[in-house]
């Protein structure tokens, strides 16, 4: 029996209502919505030229951070403006803000959004990034009901590529010299994971 597919049929994906707050805890970390009072602490890593080497912005001051993500502060919805959810990564043992994560670029008809991360260099190498992004992916699928999450990474950013692979994300494409990026033609690595794949792909705590 042949099944007829209606090409005009609307997408079956429906985004559930956004939570009123987003507060996640792991064994060593707390992920919480950021506030204006965090901006000064964020310059410790967002103001570092080496950290920003593979990120789509130059080293940032407090005013730069406010201008770039200020509209997303306190936001919990992926829809509309600003269409981004930004959370800080706080180390529970000392309350230090060691980085931030973002869910953004929602494609509502496809149930897809992008994940991004920034981590303090002096907090790297201890598994914090894996722990934090794993928790946000749990929320992306379990709280926001997303169907697919992607990560777009500069091909020279080997640390972030390894992180995506530790998280069980699949390398789907290498876009060769796809954009002019910080004075050079840059390659882009596109990673992704589906909600139905996440339980098996998810790294152990």
């Amino acid at each position: 029996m042949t099944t007829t597919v209606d090409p005009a049929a609307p997408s079956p994906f429906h985004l559930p209502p956004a939570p009123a707050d987003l507060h996640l805890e792991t064994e060593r970390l707390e992920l919480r919505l950021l506030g204006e009072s965090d901006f000064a602490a964020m310059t410790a890593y967002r103001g570092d030229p080496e950290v920003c080497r593979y990120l789509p912005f130059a080293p940032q001051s407090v005013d730069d951070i406010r201008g770039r993500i200020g509209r997303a502060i306190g936001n919990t919805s992926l829809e509309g403006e600003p269409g981004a959810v930004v959370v800080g990564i706080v180390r529970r043992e000392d309350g230090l803000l060691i980085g931030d994560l973002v869910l953004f670029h929602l494609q509502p008809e496809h149930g897809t959004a992008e994940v991004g991360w920034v981590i303090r260099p002096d907090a790297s190498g201890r598994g914090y990034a894996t722990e934090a992004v794993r928790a946000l992916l749990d929320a992306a699928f379990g709280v926001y009901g997303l169907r697919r999450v992607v990560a777009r990474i500069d091909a020279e950013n080997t640390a972030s590529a390894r992180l995506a692979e530790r998280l069980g994300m699949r390398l789907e494409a290498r876009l060769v010299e796809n954009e002019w990026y910080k004075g050079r033609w840059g390659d882009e690595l596109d990673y992704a994971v589906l909600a139905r794949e996440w339980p098996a792909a998810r790294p152990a705590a």
Side-chain angles (χ1 to χ4, degrees):
M1 180 177 179
T2 302
T3 302
T4 302
V5 178
D6 179 3
S11 166
F13 177 79
H14 298 286
L15 193 73
D21 189 17
L22 186 64
H23 189 109
L24 309 170
E25 291 189 358
T26 69
E27 180 181 355
R28 300 179 296 171
L29 305 171
E30 174 189 1
L31 275 59
R32 58 163 176 78
L33 296 175
L34 290 165
E36 284 260 352
S37 61
D38 294 307
F39 289 172
M42 293 169 73
T43 63
Y45 54 93
R46 281 179 170 251
D48 185 330
E50 187 58 29
V51 170
C52 297
R53 180 179 177 186
Y54 302 116
L55 298 177
F57 48 78
Q60 295 182 316
S61 66
V62 168
D63 287 341
D64 294 329
I65 293 170
R66 183 180 294 111
R68 186 169 183 89
I69 67 168
R71 290 185 305 160
I73 293 302
N75 183 61
T76 60
S77 176
L78 292 171
E79 297 183 284
E81 289 292 335
V85 177
V86 185
V87 295
I89 308 168
V90 178
R91 192 162 56 194
R92 294 173 65 181
E93 69 178 34
D94 57 8
L96 182 67
L97 182 69
I98 63 169
D100 57 85
L101 310 174
V102 61
L103 275 177
F104 64 126
H105 287 168
L106 173 71
Q107 297 179 344
E109 69 278 20
H110 306 310
T112 296
E114 185 174 340
V115 63
W117 51 79
V118 191
I119 305 292
R120 283 178 62 124
D122 57 4
S124 64
R126 306 178 194 180
Y128 291 135
T130 302
E131 189 172 329
V133 183
R134 180 182 62 216
L136 187 60
L137 289 175
D138 284 343
F141 297 126
V143 175
Y144 287 95
L146 293 173
R147 194 185 64 85
R148 186 170 184 268
V149 175
V150 303
R152 299 171 60 222
I153 298 169
D154 186 300
E156 293 188 7
N157 188 353
T158 56
S160 281
R162 288 195 300 268
L163 173 57
E165 289 163 5
R166 285 198 301 273
L167 290 163
M169 302 185 83
R170 172 181 52 257
L171 178 60
E172 294 190 331
R174 182 182 184 118
L175 309 182
V176 178
E177 295 186 6
N178 69 308
E179 61 181 26
W180 180 253
Y181 184 76
K182 295 191 174 181
R184 59 182 171 84
W185 292 111
D187 290 7
E188 176 186 303
L189 303 179
D190 290 355
Y191 286 87
V193 63
L194 295 169
R196 61 179 171 79
E197 298 171 324
W198 181 238
R202 184 185 188 275

